[in-house]
Amino acid sequence: MADNIAYQLDPGPLESSVLTEQITHRSRDIWDGSVNMILNTRRCDGKFWDLVKKYPIPPRVLEVIQLSGLYGVYRSHRPMIDRSLITSLVERWRPETHTFHFRTGEATITLQDVEVLYGLPVNGHPVLGNELIRTIGDWQNICQRLLGFTPCPQDFNHNSLKVSALNAHMLRQPQLTDMATQDMVNQKARCYMFWMIAGMMMADTSGSFLKLMYLPMLEDVNAIGSYSWGSATLACLYRFLCKSSQSNQNEIAGFLPLLQVYSITK
């Protein structure tokens, strides 16, 4: 008689009033047998690390980056991202609670983790970005004033700039001369910081474009450190964790080195 009783495992959750998105969560696909689901990790920092390896950042420029509070991102050097590890963490991420559900309990990345691991400021003015409608001509003028070069119209995609355009500009004059003015030093520093912010800390899934919305916030180099870059970085990562935890997603972006280092240190 016992042989006729079919026992079915319940994938959960046992209580559906909290974890309301299980039906579209990627863990449901795993339960259904979809095992080949390694996420693509979108990043556009490869050329950045190649550049600084071949041409180390000049000391005067590093001083500006240190003042901004972003030096910890540069100091961490180029990380090797483990796609399988990132995918396994996403599978355990719950967008309803913004926590990882492990066998030992719940855990999440906090502002303290961001501050301790990368030294990013977590207090100060909010990083809102500036997505005002601007023409290509407007962005060309802003790039010339803040970055020291004028990109071609084809280097823009709406409010984003090609990584290759910024990389080409920095390769044309990788080092500063002894006669460089402070304005030239600041422009060079903004190039590095803009790339770190838009291409690493808050990278999107394009893989080849940098959002220009953060660039106007770098105009006053003395005020850059007054922004809560750590909070914005964590919020961006949370957003991509929530998005990539859905069953129809195959990629993830954001500051993935933070996610990986967090998992190793915990």
Side-chain angles (χ1 to χ4, degrees), residues 195-209:
W195 202 339
M196 286 192 289
I197 292 169
M200 301 181 208
M201 296 160 50
M202 286 172 271
D204 59 19
T205 54
S206 70
S208 58
F209 284 90

Side-chain angles (χ1 to χ4, degrees), residues 10-11 33 54 62 76 79 86 115 174 179 194 201 214 247-248:
D10 184 358
K54 187 174 182 179
L62 273 180
S76 65
I86 298 298
E115 186 177 28
M179 301 298 292
F194 174 54
M201 296 160 50
Y214 307 111
S247 61
N248 61 342

